[in-house]
Amino acid sequence: MRAVAGKIVSMVDKWNITIPELTGEEERRAYVYLPESYFKSTKKRYPVLYMFDGHNVFFDEDATFGKCWGMKEFMDSSETQLIIAAVECNHSPDHGRLREYSPFDFREKGIGEIHGKGKITMEWMVNCFKKEIDREFRTLPDREHTFISGSSMGGLMSLYAVLEYNQVFSRAAALSPSVWLARQKLEQMISKTEVLPDTVIYMDYGSEEFGNHTNMRKQYVKVTSLLMKKQIMVESRIVPGGQHCEASWERQIPFFMNTLMYEWREEAKRPKPGHDSGYTARKDK
């Protein structure tokens, strides 16, 4: 808990963890955001949003490129009643992040052969990390109140998680998801998976990103269409001028948080896109 001039404020707890199944005893950081009300209402329980690339979520000094999403600033200003739990990615130069965040084995020009460890990553997140979060904090651990989010490969993993671990996650936000990867396997996974009818997915892609991969606009449309055919409630956006970076994803926070928290108006003061919420995305440094 942290206090400023006698006032209890929100906090981001940060500690080191290991994921033996992936990187043995090598440590990485875990983060948990707790809203101000967590310390005032000691019996209240909260939904939880799990996020990939935790080092990029809260602090510029931890972020890979020196620019984070600014999630703490948004959560504080909007007074969103939600816990956020995030884990740092694998920084190994031998495509460590790509391996851990890929649900599929694939071969890509310029990258080579990648053995995807996405299933191992999710098994750890569901069976170890989530259990720890539910044990240590006042969460609402049921599926209805458990969400997941990420960008790029983390966005692909968020799609994978909400589809293949649908008994755990009811909603997902996939920003700039890497749907260019293993396209046929991804399409087969979406087509074959069985999900509950209340499943919600937010997905977006920046207009400036489409040139990064061949036929990406067509692939993005196809993935969106396949998800909708599964009767999943999908909010899909093309972000005008959107780019593949944290500064761009920060500007999408009000949109995807609105989708994730849509039915909890009484529990959270949410900003509506296009309305003044008191939150402004920070300018790039």
Side-chain angles (χ1 to χ4, degrees):
M1 187 184 305
R2 185 167 54 190
V4 176
K7 178 184 177 182
I8 297 174
V9 298
S10 69
M11 66 170 285
V12 177
D13 195 9
K14 178 167 58 172
W15 71 100
N16 288 338
I17 63 168
T18 61
I19 307 179
E21 299 90 335
L22 293 169
T23 48
E25 294 303 309
E26 181 180 336
E27 292 187 336
R28 65 180 79 186
R29 284 163 293 190
Y31 302 78
V32 167
Y33 169 88
L34 301 173
E36 177 184 347
S37 64
Y38 188 90
F39 306 104
K40 293 181 176 180
S41 305
T42 57
K43 293 183 179 180
K44 184 175 181 179
R45 292 185 172 272
Y46 297 79
V48 182
L49 170 62
Y50 291 88
M51 295 189 72
F52 295 99
D53 292 311
H55 55 292
N56 290 334
V57 173
F58 298 110
F59 304 115
D60 287 346
E61 59 265 30
D62 290 349
T64 302
F65 299 107
K67 173 71 181 75
C68 74
W69 286 41
M71 281 297 295
K72 184 182 185 302
E73 289 82 353
F74 170 83
M75 298 293 287
D76 288 349
S77 63
S78 63
E79 299 183 27
T80 303
Q81 301 302 288
L82 179 74
I83 291 173
I84 299 177
V87 180
E88 185 177 10
C89 78
N90 184 336
H91 296 287
S92 169
D94 186 27
H95 303 301
R97 178 176 178 272
L98 191 58
R99 296 177 193 278
E100 289 189 3
Y101 285 2
S102 175
F104 318 108
D105 295 339
F106 70 98
R107 173 180 288 277
E108 185 74 15
K109 184 178 180 181
I111 297 176
E113 183 118 10
I114 294 294
H115 175 59
K117 297 182 178 181
K119 181 175 177 61
I120 298 174
T121 299
M122 285 311 307
E123 287 291 321
W124 173 84
M125 182 171 285
V126 168
N127 296 312
C128 296
F129 188 58
K130 183 180 185 301
K131 288 184 178 180
E132 179 181 356
I133 297 300
D134 290 336
R135 182 175 61 251
E136 297 295 328
F137 301 96
R138 297 194 314 275
T139 70
L140 292 167
D142 59 292
R143 174 184 177 276
E144 182 182 4
H145 297 92
T146 304
F147 319 134
I148 194 160
S149 176
S151 62
S152 190
M153 289 298 295
L156 176 64
M157 282 292 287
S158 297
L159 290 178
Y160 171 66
V162 79
L163 294 174
E164 293 295 302
Y165 294 81
N166 194 244
Q167 75 280 8
V168 178
F169 305 99
S170 62
R171 301 188 177 196
L175 285 68
S176 304
S178 300
V179 295
W180 53 268
L181 184 148
R183 297 180 182 185
Q184 187 174 8
K185 293 180 179 179
L186 173 60
E187 293 165 14
Q188 288 176 348
M189 180 188 73
I190 296 173
S191 297
K192 293 179 179 180
T193 191
E194 296 294 331
V195 297
L196 294 171
D198 62 343
T199 301
V200 175
I201 294 178
Y202 169 94
M203 188 165 68
D204 68 24
Y205 215 80
S207 63
E208 300 300 309
E209 296 184 75
F210 284 119
N212 295 344
H213 298 280
T214 305
N215 295 323
M216 258 307 300
R217 185 179 293 270
K218 180 179 179 180
Q219 179 65 6
Y220 181 83
V221 171
K222 187 170 186 178
V223 168
T224 301
S225 177
L226 287 171
L227 291 170
M228 293 182 70
K229 286 180 180 179
K230 301 296 292 187
Q231 305 299 310
I232 294 171
M233 290 177 278
V234 179
E235 179 174 349
S236 179
R237 297 176 59 241
I238 304 300
V239 180
Q243 300 177 343
H244 201 84
C245 64
E246 279 70 26
S248 185
W249 297 324
E250 179 180 11
R251 289 190 286 271
Q252 311 321 310
I253 295 174
F255 294 93
F256 77 77
M257 288 299 292
N258 182 71
T259 299
L260 294 179
M261 298 294 289
Y262 188 76
E263 294 176 355
W264 286 278
R265 288 193 182 96
E266 298 303 317
E267 299 179 26
K269 296 179 180 179
R270 301 175 297 97
K272 295 181 180 179
H275 290 69
D276 183 12
S277 67
Y279 169 78
T280 304
R282 299 170 303 162
K283 294 182 180 179
D284 297 349
K285 293 184 176 181

